[in-house]
Amino acid sequence: MQRLDGAGIGIGFYGNSETSDGVSQLSSALLHANHTLSTIDDLVLETVERLGEAVRTELTTLEEVLSERVELVAATWGARRQAEAAAQHLQGLAFWQGVSLSPVQVAEDVTFVEEYRWLAYVLLLLLVLLVCLFTLLGLAKQSKWLVVVMTAMSLLVLVLSWGSMGLEAATAVGLSDFCSNPDTYVLNLTQEETGLSLDILNYYFLCNQAVSNPFQQRLTLSQRALASIHSQLQGLEREAVPQFPAAQKPLLSLEETLNVTEGSFHQLVALLHCRSLHKDYGSALRGLCEDALEGLLFLMLFSLLSAGALATTLCSLPRAWALFPPSDDYDDTDDDDPFNPQESKRFVQWQSSI
Amino acid sequence: MQRLDGAGIGIGFYGNSETSDGVSQLSSALLHANHTLSTIDDLVLETVERLGEAVRTELTTLEEVLSERVELVAATWGARRQAEAAAQHLQGLAFWQGVSLSPVQVAEDVTFVEEYRWLAYVLLLLLVLLVCLFTLLGLAKQSKWLVVVMTAMSLLVLVLSWGSMGLEAATAVGLSDFCSNPDTYVLNLTQEETGLSLDILNYYFLCNQAVSNPFQQRLTLSQRALASIHSQLQGLEREAVPQFPAAQKPLLSLEETLNVTEGSFHQLVALLHCRSLHKDYGSALRGLCEDALEGLLFLMLFSLLSAGALATTLCSLPRAWALFPPSDDYDDTDDDDPFNPQESKRFVQWQSSI
């Protein structure tokens, strides 16, 4: 019986740590997804502001410098229009802006619940361990009061074991149900919570060749706008700089801004691609449906073994009591009082013997 | 002693499974990195071929159709030049082409070694478990031959335990040394094996704001070339189609090719970005330096506990033998023969008693 329980406690600790691993994988995937989403928003904001700043300062300076030649001013106007168009297209890429659902909040909630679940299981496991050890001690020392207390404790832990087994069974059934086909459920839930369009969600949740990138159009348009600004700036550099040396400084500064913007644009393309977010989704699902579910099944096995072992203990303890030698059967009122003169002597002997 | 060994075997199984988890994380990260690298190569090859095909067929048709108007032919020549330039820039992005190091090969080697290591440990753990059980059985049945055999087996397993502890200690020290500062070592090793330039390797192994994208220049140039093809095609559509209706079909087909190429280009930008490959690198390192190292330490603890328990067994078994009642001391030659008439009776009793 003690062996069964020892194995049960080992299985319980393993299951508890597996469940905890799975849940922490889920929350770290959520945090990573949040980082990607917020980086997209920040990058879009930063790029749009940089383009706006360039339009307000350098392009205005350029127009003033070149105001004598109408066709050059027209070219700067063209560049200004393209920059504004690029900023507008980019603005539309920050799809997570204004969405009320925060993955960080979900991750924090999950971690909060998991911490208490983990602690509760560790306490339950330690309680089972202590009950086992003190029952053994009570049997070895043939101490009636310890056996009585441990019988009561066993009953309590038996109830706790059955209760936890019920909870685990319910959670395992719910989780298996969810894990058999999670995509549709998560997709519908996310659409309800975020209000994002179905093609964006499909793109990120499925991420295969069949689903086209919903940002493709905007990305291509902003890319063409940036390339056209570049060609207009090159034309201006060729024609305006020989006549207006003052135009060189704002032109170089605009080229520099354009290069930085193109770098940000490439980073934005990489962030918007479904690979990264889809990998986070897969990793969150794996944490939940592999590690956490496996841990939960081990915890169920622990509850079953510990309930079995405790039930056996409860049945056998009264019989063991009946076998205790009657010599131990002195006045019970002093039995648990170490300060009784006779008792304290026995207590010291007991203490020195352990 | 048996409890110690029971705990040791539990720890051994846990350590073995942790090490196996860590190594499988490493090999799955390698496989994912390989997938990314080969997708980059395939995508580049496919895009370059698509551009070349468009230049050979549709642009040639267009030139023949528009051959009467020199300025339109010049525009198609411009588009051809840009398409060739874009193909050339894209060609340079397939940085893994021709590299002899294959992550798949490394992953397969690692998995092969790990499978045998795992199996060897499971066999060792089962051997320790069997030795424990049969020693207990020998003591309980006071069977001298079983105790003698188990003493010999204990000696063998003790030697195996010490040997495995030595191997584990050496591996753990080497791995900790590697894990204290892996970046420089892995970077140098990869440069030696692949011959890739240091800025590409730095970009992927460090992947922070300080390291600029080494493909930025090529990406920007091919992006501008694609945008300029687009504007030239639009110009042709505006000016040529009203005069030459036959030009519409190749022009539409070219626009279509350009759209597909821009989609592939965005996917290429996402794949070339360091996020994905750097995450694989981080995940491989975590598998090796967290899970595998932790598992190795648990295996060391198992070896230590099992060596201690077996040494205690070896010391105490001869003394236990001396305490066996002399009534058991009959002729030893028949002791292990269940078909001896007297013996078979005792054997049946023994069988029915267990």
Side-chain angles (χ1 to χ4, degrees):
Chain A
M1 191 272 296
Q2 295 297 328
R3 299 236 142 197
L4 192 75
D5 220 39
I9 290 172
I11 290 173
F13 271 109
Y14 180 73
N16 203 23
S17 109
E18 279 289 297
T19 310
S20 180
D21 275 6
V23 175
S24 76
Q25 197 177 331
L26 165 70
S27 70
S28 81
L30 281 171
L31 288 179
H32 192 262
N34 184 70
H35 181 247
T36 306
L37 290 169
S38 60
T39 311
I40 291 176
D41 283 357
D42 293 352
L43 206 60
V44 166
L45 204 71
E46 194 189 305
T47 312
V48 168
E49 266 186 14
R50 195 185 297 117
L51 280 175
E53 179 74 20
V55 166
R56 272 195 305 281
T57 57
E58 281 106 353
L59 268 180
T60 311
T61 317
L62 208 59
E63 276 169 29
E64 285 164 8
V65 170
L66 306 175
S67 56
E68 293 171 22
R69 297 256 318 258
V70 180
E71 80 279 16
L72 294 182
V73 172
T76 60
W77 281 354
R80 177 190 287 262
R81 259 202 315 281
Q82 295 291 351
E84 279 164 359
Q88 201 193 339
H89 293 311
L90 287 172
Q91 193 90 60
L93 294 173
F95 68 97
W96 198 257
Q97 228 161 28
V99 168
S100 56
L101 180 75
S102 159
V104 174
Q105 190 56 46
V106 177
E108 273 172 5
D109 290 353
V110 166
T111 311
F112 179 80
V113 171
E114 170 59 21
E115 263 171 18
Y116 281 95
R117 190 207 61 75
W118 184 85
L119 192 65
Y121 264 101
V122 167
L123 290 179
L124 181 63
L125 286 160
L126 288 181
L127 192 62
V128 172
L129 198 66
L130 285 180
V131 166
C132 280
L133 290 181
F134 277 100
T135 307
L136 274 184
L137 188 70
L139 288 176
K141 295 282 159 192
Q142 304 200 334
S143 154
K144 284 192 178 178
W145 70 268
L146 199 55
V147 169
V148 169
V149 170
M150 282 309 125
T151 311
M153 290 294 286
S154 295
L155 196 67
L156 172 71
V157 180
L158 184 64
V159 171
L160 285 178
S161 288
W162 279 112
S164 74
M165 190 152 76
L167 279 179
E168 288 147 13
T171 319
V173 167
L175 201 58
S176 323
D177 188 29
F178 166 77
C179 290
S180 66
N181 183 18
D183 288 349
T184 322
Y185 178 74
V186 175
L187 204 143
N188 286 339
L189 193 71
T190 316
Q191 194 184 16
E192 223 165 82
E193 291 285 327
T194 61
L196 287 173
S197 74
L198 205 61
D199 52 348
I200 292 180
L201 291 176
N202 262 325
Y203 176 63
Y204 285 116
F205 281 116
L206 303 179
C207 191
N208 54 29
Q209 298 285 328
V211 186
S212 68
N213 187 338
F215 308 110
Q216 177 76 50
Q217 186 74 9
R218 283 180 189 279
L219 285 175
T220 307
L221 288 176
S222 29
Q223 174 182 321
R224 283 178 187 159
L226 289 176
S228 120
I229 299 174
H230 172 78
S231 70
Q232 264 156 341
L233 289 183
Q234 276 205 323
L236 279 175
E237 213 173 336
R238 218 169 31 239
E239 292 181 22
V241 173
Q243 281 192 315
F244 306 91
Q248 185 153 30
K249 200 169 147 260
L251 267 176
L252 283 180
S253 160
L254 275 173
E255 288 271 2
E256 176 64 32
T257 307
L258 201 62
N259 275 339
V260 176
T261 306
E262 269 168 344
S264 303
F265 178 76
H266 290 153
Q267 206 178 341
L268 195 61
V269 171
L271 287 168
L272 279 171
H273 198 267
C274 62
R275 277 171 63 90
S276 168
L277 281 171
H278 185 73
K279 215 179 160 197
D280 290 335
Y281 172 62
S283 148
L285 274 191
R286 260 199 311 284
L288 208 58
C289 295
E290 285 177 15
D291 288 356
L293 192 58
E294 184 200 328
L296 214 55
L297 294 180
F298 275 112
L299 283 179
M300 267 178 78
L301 188 59
F302 149 70
S303 297
L304 197 69
L305 286 177
S306 106
L310 289 167
T312 324
T313 314
L314 279 177
C315 292
S316 56
L317 275 187
R319 272 195 290 167
W321 190 347
L323 293 175
F324 282 4
S327 65
D328 215 17
D329 204 7
Y330 47 82
D331 188 7
D332 258 10
T333 49
D334 286 336
D335 193 68
D336 50 353
D337 178 9
F339 302 107
N340 177 312
Q342 297 157 262
E343 276 304 303
S344 63
K345 204 170 149 199
R346 293 185 65 239
F347 186 70
V348 168
Q349 280 177 341
W350 177 77
Q351 272 189 319
S352 63
S353 72
I354 58 171
Chain B
M1 190 274 295
Q2 294 298 327
R3 298 240 142 193
L4 192 75
D5 221 41
I9 291 173
I11 289 173
F13 271 107
Y14 180 73
N16 204 22
S17 110
E18 278 290 295
T19 311
S20 180
D21 275 5
V23 174
S24 75
Q25 197 177 333
L26 165 70
S27 68
S28 81
L30 281 170
L31 289 178
H32 193 262
N34 184 69
H35 181 244
T36 305
L37 291 169
S38 60
T39 310
I40 291 175
D41 283 359
D42 293 351
L43 207 60
V44 166
L45 203 72
E46 194 188 303
T47 312
V48 167
E49 267 186 12
R50 196 184 298 119
L51 279 176
E53 178 72 21
V55 167
R56 274 196 304 280
T57 57
E58 281 107 354
L59 268 179
T60 311
T61 317
L62 208 57
E63 276 169 28
E64 285 164 7
V65 169
L66 305 176
S67 57
E68 293 170 21
R69 295 261 309 263
V70 181
E71 78 278 16
L72 294 182
V73 172
T76 61
W77 281 353
R80 177 189 286 264
R81 259 202 315 281
Q82 295 291 350
E84 280 163 359
Q88 200 193 340
H89 293 310
L90 287 173
Q91 192 92 61
L93 293 173
F95 68 98
W96 198 257
Q97 226 160 31
V99 168
S100 57
L101 180 74
S102 158
V104 173
Q105 189 57 46
V106 177
E108 273 173 5
D109 289 353
V110 166
T111 310
F112 179 80
V113 172
E114 170 60 20
E115 263 171 17
Y116 281 94
R117 190 207 61 73
W118 184 85
L119 191 66
Y121 263 101
V122 167
L123 290 180
L124 181 63
L125 286 160
L126 288 181
L127 191 62
V128 172
L129 197 65
L130 285 180
V131 166
C132 279
L133 289 181
F134 278 100
T135 308
L136 273 184
L137 189 68
L139 287 175
K141 295 283 155 189
Q142 305 198 332
S143 152
K144 283 191 178 180
W145 70 268
L146 200 55
V147 169
V148 169
V149 171
M150 282 310 125
T151 309
M153 291 294 286
S154 294
L155 197 66
L156 172 71
V157 180
L158 184 64
V159 171
L160 285 178
S161 287
W162 279 112
S164 74
M165 190 152 75
L167 279 178
E168 289 147 14
T171 319
V173 167
L175 201 57
S176 321
D177 188 30
F178 166 76
C179 289
S180 67
N181 183 16
D183 288 349
T184 321
Y185 177 74
V186 176
L187 205 145
N188 286 337
L189 193 71
T190 316
Q191 195 185 15
E192 223 165 79
E193 291 285 327
T194 60
L196 287 174
S197 74
L198 204 61
D199 52 350
I200 292 181
L201 292 176
N202 262 325
Y203 176 63
Y204 285 118
F205 280 117
L206 303 179
C207 192
N208 55 29
Q209 297 287 327
V211 186
S212 68
N213 187 338
F215 309 109
Q216 177 75 51
Q217 185 75 11
R218 283 181 190 279
L219 286 175
T220 307
L221 288 176
S222 28
Q223 174 181 323
R224 283 178 188 161
L226 289 177
S228 118
I229 299 175
H230 172 78
S231 69
Q232 265 157 339
L233 289 182
Q234 276 205 323
L236 278 175
E237 211 172 337
R238 221 172 24 242
E239 292 182 23
V241 173
Q243 282 192 315
F244 306 92
Q248 185 153 29
K249 201 170 147 260
L251 267 176
L252 283 180
S253 159
L254 276 172
E255 286 273 0
E256 176 65 30
T257 308
L258 201 63
N259 275 340
V260 176
T261 307
E262 269 167 346
S264 304
F265 178 76
H266 290 153
Q267 206 178 344
L268 195 61
V269 170
L271 287 168
L272 280 172
H273 198 265
C274 61
R275 277 170 65 90
S276 167
L277 281 171
H278 185 73
K279 215 181 159 194
D280 290 335
Y281 171 63
S283 150
L285 274 191
R286 260 199 311 285
L288 208 58
C289 294
E290 285 177 15
D291 289 356
L293 192 58
E294 185 200 327
L296 214 55
L297 294 180
F298 275 111
L299 282 179
M300 267 178 78
L301 188 60
F302 150 71
S303 297
L304 197 69
L305 286 178
S306 109
L310 289 166
T312 323
T313 313
L314 280 177
C315 293
S316 56
L317 276 186
R319 272 195 292 165
W321 190 346
L323 293 174
F324 282 4
S327 65
D328 215 18
D329 206 3
Y330 47 81
D331 188 6
D332 258 10
T333 50
D334 287 335
D335 193 66
D336 50 354
D337 178 8
F339 301 107
N340 176 312
Q342 297 158 263
E343 277 304 304
S344 65
K345 203 173 152 204
R346 292 185 66 239
F347 186 70
V348 168
Q349 280 179 344
W350 175 76
Q351 274 190 320
S352 62
S353 73
I354 58 171

